Amino acid sequence: MRPVNPEGRIIREMLRRQDQKPVRLSGFARRLLAEWKRLEWPVSGGRYVVAVSGGADSVALLLALDELVRASRVEAELSVAHLDHGLRGACGEADARWVEELARTLGYECLSGRASVGERARVGRDNLEQSARRARYEFLGEAARGCGAGAVLTAHTLDDQAETVLLCLLRGSGAEGLGGIRPVRALDAAGDVLLLRPLLGWARRADTEGFCRERGVGFRTDEMNADERFARVRVRRKVLPLLETFNPRAVEALARAAELLREDAATLETLASKLLDEASAGATATAGVEASVVTGEKATAVENAGSASSLSVEALAGAPASLRRRALRQWLARGRGDLRRLEMSHLLALEKLLKGTRGGRVAELPGGCAVERRRGRLYFRRKKS
Amino acid sequence: MRPVNPEGRIIREMLRRQDQKPVRLSGFARRLLAEWKRLEWPVSGGRYVVAVSGGADSVALLLALDELVRASRVEAELSVAHLDHGLRGACGEADARWVEELARTLGYECLSGRASVGERARVGRDNLEQSARRARYEFLGEAARGCGAGAVLTAHTLDDQAETVLLCLLRGSGAEGLGGIRPVRALDAAGDVLLLRPLLGWARRADTEGFCRERGVGFRTDEMNADERFARVRVRRKVLPLLETFNPRAVEALARAAELLREDAATLETLASKLLDEASAGATATAGVEASVVTGEKATAVENAGSASSLSVEALAGAPASLRRRALRQWLARGRGDLRRLEMSHLLALEKLLKGTRGGRVAELPGGCAVERRRGRLYFRRKKS
């Protein structure tokens, strides 16, 4: 016997009016369409996976996208994807059933998955939030590739952006972190699936909740969103309301700052990449003043062809710090494969190598890697295995 | 008959040990010296005006500088400067007497002044804080020039920096604002006197108070620093303590973010200035596609030789937004004399002029100025008088 599914009945009830072709777009869908066009995303063709947790943000995104598709304002094929993180037992399972029913009622395929985030966090020494995020994006990547979608849509809002900016600020991040969440990026390293956030630039959490209410569609609430052991929850419930006593549009102000810093960071990364090319060039031609000091020394650092070549001290030392540090980060990312555990102190140690004329000096990096200055160049050395 | 001066007696009492040559530097003075050297300021020669309000920060700065001078670790001639802002009646006068006595006891000249900030704010339609700052820097400039000092030292701390960053963030500023207070800048437009902040990069307010106590020297308290009608006071008393529950070193994190953003902004300003040079070049050679549209139109926009020349639409349109907007700001600053009341919306209007191929379009700016696109170039137009 098939189990009774009261949520399903409720959703069908709520969406009954859905069958009629919408006469005019809701305000929320119109704003979504405007943002879609502002970001110059295609309005005809394309297959998308919509990540739906069942919360107000993602339900509002799905309902608004559905409106645009039904009204033929965006021609797109949608699949819904939902991951049960395995952290909330029966509640998580109930959410999954609810989202599946919502998708079915609207007429979309629902790709469901289940992860053991608690287990992953223990094994990977990640915190729960990072581990959940990693599991989610892996799942969404598989979902997108499985159904041939070129992009995943998530329902991050202006509030998420403001929270992210504040959390980065509390860590002392530079422009990269303070730029916050990007509206468009590659989902993962493979680079074949995009991650798009069409609510990020304009929708407040109150807007998504209001739109769900307006449409008469409920949403699930995750009690972890009220758990003040999470820094993000405390930022949402304590810091942002306090900041809004200074400026009622503090969330928008934070998001605007993030956008400006994101543009700055993108420009600086491009210029740093050019600096890196310049500094990488002429590996043999520009042997520096310390050549004589290390004559006869056997080279222990190998030129990692295609990964991290050596860099000219002269080219780096003459560049502004904001470009030099970014170039060094890019170089280390190539050499090490990632930037995990790399702190500002390590970059400062590398910069110290650039001072003066003396070679034969080494800066150690986390994970057993190191950088050596020799004959006017920096060499990257991998951990000995 | 000379009035009784009990503060003077107290200060002399407190500083009696001062006459002995210090055997070793205090921790606070050592950190000040380290920062002085890190910033590569000269340790021999130089005349400085030290701005002393009488609060813990500026008293600590003066005491530590005095230590360094007496110990011959920094050879410098110091003058103390104090401005009574005229906002606190008898309290302001008492502060002035207190600072004069402190300076006299330490053996330094004290340059005192009095402003009517309340009156200035009313006339200039500034808020009280802006008006006080303006009056203070005018006074310090006069003081420095009057005694032949090349630099003014102020006692801004790490806490001041964190407060400034948060206030800018609440306004949605980009990297320029979020870079916060600069440790070194020109005091004013004349450019002949530097403004230096040797405590900015390391001293917490608790450090300055602790150092005053350690030396047994009191300090004045300004009740306006407790007036929660000022946003800065609310940031200090409400926001920063809340942020410190997330990260006990939140103030340092904010200051570090500011430093990184300041470096980014400086690099981008330099590059934007190059872009501006490129866009200014070839005023006649690069007449664009809209030439024919406006043939015969009498030029209403004059090339402001030496102030704001016309700009090539093509050069600007092809540049990244973060450089283009900075170049446009620099250009407008030259044309208008300043950037007062210039908002992001005005820059966006200017950027809109760059789109498409049509000329003959105008973007209005506050204060009656405007920018016109004509023959592939942007022209700045001053208000008609």
Side-chain angles (χ1 to χ4, degrees):
Chain A
M1 201 173 79
R2 206 171 167 280
V4 176
N5 183 350
E7 288 98 352
R9 215 175 51 234
I10 294 163
I11 293 171
R12 274 193 296 278
E13 186 75 21
M14 293 186 300
L15 290 172
R16 221 176 4 210
R17 286 158 303 169
Q18 196 75 37
D19 295 331
Q20 301 144 23
K21 179 117 179 170
V23 180
R24 62 192 290 268
L25 292 178
S26 65
F28 191 88
R30 274 205 305 277
R31 292 174 76 187
L32 174 60
L33 182 60
E35 179 73 352
W36 195 279
K37 290 178 173 171
R38 188 183 75 86
L39 292 166
E40 300 179 355
W41 297 350
V43 290
S44 60
R47 186 168 180 86
Y48 301 88
V49 163
V50 189
V52 179
S53 67
D57 298 343
S58 57
V59 170
L61 173 61
L62 179 62
L63 291 174
L65 282 169
D66 175 63
E67 254 191 75
L68 296 179
V69 168
R70 280 169 196 268
S72 305
R73 302 297 292 270
V74 172
E75 284 171 28
E77 289 184 75
L78 306 181
S79 297
V80 171
H82 175 88
L83 181 69
D84 178 358
H85 296 81
L87 290 169
R88 295 165 53 239
C91 290
E93 287 165 24
D95 283 359
R97 281 201 307 275
W98 191 90
V99 170
E100 282 162 16
E101 188 58 38
L102 175 65
R104 195 175 309 135
T105 310
L106 291 169
Y108 299 114
E109 163 190 41
C110 186
L111 310 160
S112 294
R114 195 171 188 289
S116 302
V117 167
E119 178 63 22
R120 286 175 63 122
R122 270 188 299 279
V123 174
R125 291 186 306 173
D126 265 345
N127 71 37
L128 220 52
E129 285 159 300
Q130 281 172 338
S131 193
R133 190 182 309 119
R134 240 185 272 276
R136 194 160 56 241
Y137 287 132
E138 270 174 31
F139 165 72
L140 290 170
E142 282 166 25
R145 290 183 183 99
C147 71
V152 170
L153 298 165
T154 65
H156 291 86
T157 61
L158 216 48
D159 293 73
D160 292 310
Q161 183 68 295
E163 289 159 20
T164 301
V165 172
L166 283 171
L167 287 167
C168 287
L169 198 65
L170 285 166
R171 282 198 296 267
S173 305
E176 271 67 20
L178 294 176
I181 307 168
R182 282 167 289 171
V184 180
R185 71 165 171 94
L187 181 71
D188 51 33
D192 57 335
V193 177
L194 286 176
L195 178 57
L196 308 178
R197 277 108 170 200
L199 306 186
L200 188 70
W202 60 278
R204 293 293 310 264
R205 198 158 285 136
D207 295 327
T208 65
E209 291 176 1
F211 179 57
C212 288
R213 270 195 295 275
E214 182 189 317
R215 290 284 303 269
V217 178
F219 48 84
R220 310 292 289 184
T221 51
D222 179 346
E223 68 271 23
M224 289 173 84
N225 284 335
D227 185 342
E228 297 206 354
R229 279 173 301 176
F230 294 110
R232 183 175 285 275
V233 175
R234 292 201 304 280
V235 164
R236 181 182 310 145
R237 293 163 73 116
K238 296 225 152 81
V239 182
L240 284 176
L242 177 58
L243 296 185
E244 284 174 331
T245 66
F246 288 80
N247 175 0
R249 295 179 64 78
V251 165
E252 286 83 352
L254 284 163
R256 184 166 58 164
E259 189 173 354
L260 293 173
L261 295 179
R262 218 157 49 230
E263 285 175 355
D264 288 355
T267 302
L268 291 166
E269 287 294 341
T270 306
L271 294 167
S273 161
K274 283 186 194 160
L275 172 62
L276 190 55
D277 288 346
E278 284 169 28
S280 303
T284 52
T286 60
V289 287
E290 41 313 25
S292 60
V293 182
V294 290
T295 303
E297 184 198 1
K298 195 138 171 79
T300 53
V302 185
E303 289 275 336
N304 303 301
S307 56
S309 59
S310 71
L311 302 182
S312 149
V313 166
E314 196 184 355
L316 290 171
S322 57
L323 296 182
R324 178 170 60 233
R325 287 181 197 156
R326 283 181 172 85
L328 286 170
R329 281 173 63 90
Q330 292 178 8
W331 182 62
L332 293 177
R334 283 189 215 167
R336 297 171 83 227
D338 61 50
L339 290 170
R340 277 192 176 194
R341 292 168 52 210
L342 195 83
E343 307 270 344
M344 192 64 189
S345 59
H346 303 120
L347 282 180
L348 292 176
L350 251 65
E351 289 200 303
K352 226 171 158 181
L353 287 187
L354 299 173
K355 291 198 173 159
T357 55
R358 199 165 52 80
R361 287 177 291 160
V362 174
E364 304 289 341
L365 298 174
C369 301
V371 171
E372 183 180 0
R373 171 171 170 167
R374 197 158 40 79
R375 303 183 195 191
R377 298 190 74 83
L378 296 187
Y379 293 86
F380 180 80
R381 289 198 312 212
R382 277 217 194 74
K383 191 176 185 165
K384 284 179 191 82
S385 52
Chain B
M1 203 174 80
R2 209 171 163 279
V4 176
N5 184 348
E7 288 98 350
R9 215 175 50 233
I10 294 163
I11 294 172
R12 273 193 297 279
E13 186 75 21
M14 295 185 299
L15 290 172
R16 222 177 359 212
R17 288 157 303 168
Q18 197 73 39
D19 294 332
Q20 301 143 23
K21 178 119 180 171
V23 180
R24 60 192 294 267
L25 292 179
S26 64
F28 191 89
R30 274 203 306 276
R31 292 174 75 187
L32 173 61
L33 182 60
E35 179 74 352
W36 195 279
K37 289 177 174 171
R38 188 183 74 87
L39 293 167
E40 300 179 354
W41 296 349
V43 291
S44 60
R47 186 167 181 88
Y48 301 88
V49 163
V50 190
V52 178
S53 68
D57 298 343
S58 57
V59 170
L61 173 61
L62 179 61
L63 292 175
L65 282 170
D66 175 62
E67 254 190 76
L68 296 179
V69 168
R70 278 169 198 267
S72 306
R73 302 297 292 269
V74 172
E75 283 171 30
E77 289 184 74
L78 306 181
S79 296
V80 171
H82 174 88
L83 181 69
D84 177 358
H85 295 79
L87 290 169
R88 297 165 53 239
C91 290
E93 288 165 26
D95 283 358
R97 281 200 308 272
W98 192 90
V99 171
E100 282 162 15
E101 189 58 37
L102 175 65
R104 195 176 309 134
T105 311
L106 290 169
Y108 300 114
E109 161 189 44
C110 185
L111 311 159
S112 294
R114 195 169 187 290
S116 302
V117 167
E119 178 65 21
R120 285 175 63 123
R122 270 189 297 280
V123 174
R125 292 185 305 171
D126 267 344
N127 71 37
L128 220 52
E129 284 159 300
Q130 283 172 335
S131 194
R133 190 180 310 119
R134 239 186 273 276
R136 196 160 54 242
Y137 287 131
E138 269 175 32
F139 166 71
L140 290 171
E142 281 166 27
R145 289 181 185 102
C147 70
V152 170
L153 299 164
T154 66
H156 291 86
T157 62
L158 216 48
D159 293 74
D160 291 311
Q161 183 69 294
E163 289 159 20
T164 301
V165 172
L166 283 170
L167 287 167
C168 287
L169 198 64
L170 285 165
R171 283 197 296 267
S173 307
E176 270 67 20
L178 294 176
I181 306 169
R182 283 168 289 173
V184 180
R185 70 166 173 90
L187 180 72
D188 52 34
D192 57 335
V193 177
L194 286 175
L195 179 57
L196 308 177
R197 278 111 169 194
L199 306 187
L200 188 70
W202 60 278
R204 293 293 310 266
R205 198 158 285 137
D207 296 326
T208 63
E209 290 175 2
F211 178 57
C212 287
R213 269 196 297 274
E214 183 189 318
R215 291 284 303 269
V217 178
F219 48 85
R220 310 293 287 184
T221 51
D222 180 345
E223 69 271 20
M224 289 175 84
N225 283 336
D227 186 342
E228 297 205 355
R229 281 174 299 178
F230 294 109
R232 182 176 286 275
V233 175
R234 292 200 306 279
V235 164
R236 181 181 312 147
R237 291 163 74 116
K238 296 226 153 75
V239 182
L240 283 176
L242 177 59
L243 296 185
E244 284 174 333
T245 66
F246 288 80
N247 176 0
R249 294 179 64 78
V251 165
E252 286 84 354
L254 285 163
R256 186 168 55 165
E259 190 172 352
L260 293 173
L261 296 178
R262 217 156 50 227
E263 285 175 355
D264 287 355
T267 302
L268 291 166
E269 287 293 342
T270 306
L271 295 167
S273 161
K274 284 184 193 160
L275 171 62
L276 190 55
D277 288 345
E278 284 167 31
S280 303
T284 52
T286 59
V289 286
E290 54 294 35
S292 61
V293 181
V294 291
T295 303
E297 184 199 4
K298 195 135 171 82
T300 52
V302 185
E303 290 275 339
N304 302 301
S307 56
S309 58
S310 71
L311 301 181
S312 151
V313 167
E314 195 185 355
L316 290 171
S322 56
L323 294 183
R324 179 170 60 234
R325 287 182 197 155
R326 283 182 172 85
L328 286 170
R329 281 173 63 90
Q330 290 178 7
W331 182 63
L332 293 177
R334 283 188 215 166
R336 296 170 84 228
D338 60 53
L339 290 169
R340 277 192 176 194
R341 290 167 55 211
L342 195 83
E343 308 270 344
M344 192 64 190
S345 59
H346 304 119
L347 282 180
L348 292 175
L350 250 65
E351 290 200 305
K352 226 171 159 181
L353 287 187
L354 299 173
K355 291 199 173 161
T357 56
R358 198 166 52 82
R361 288 177 290 159
V362 174
E364 303 288 342
L365 298 175
C369 301
V371 170
E372 183 180 1
R373 171 171 169 165
R374 197 158 40 80
R375 307 186 190 186
R377 298 191 74 84
L378 296 187
Y379 292 87
F380 180 81
R381 291 200 309 214
R382 276 220 192 72
K383 190 174 187 166
K384 286 181 188 79
S385 53

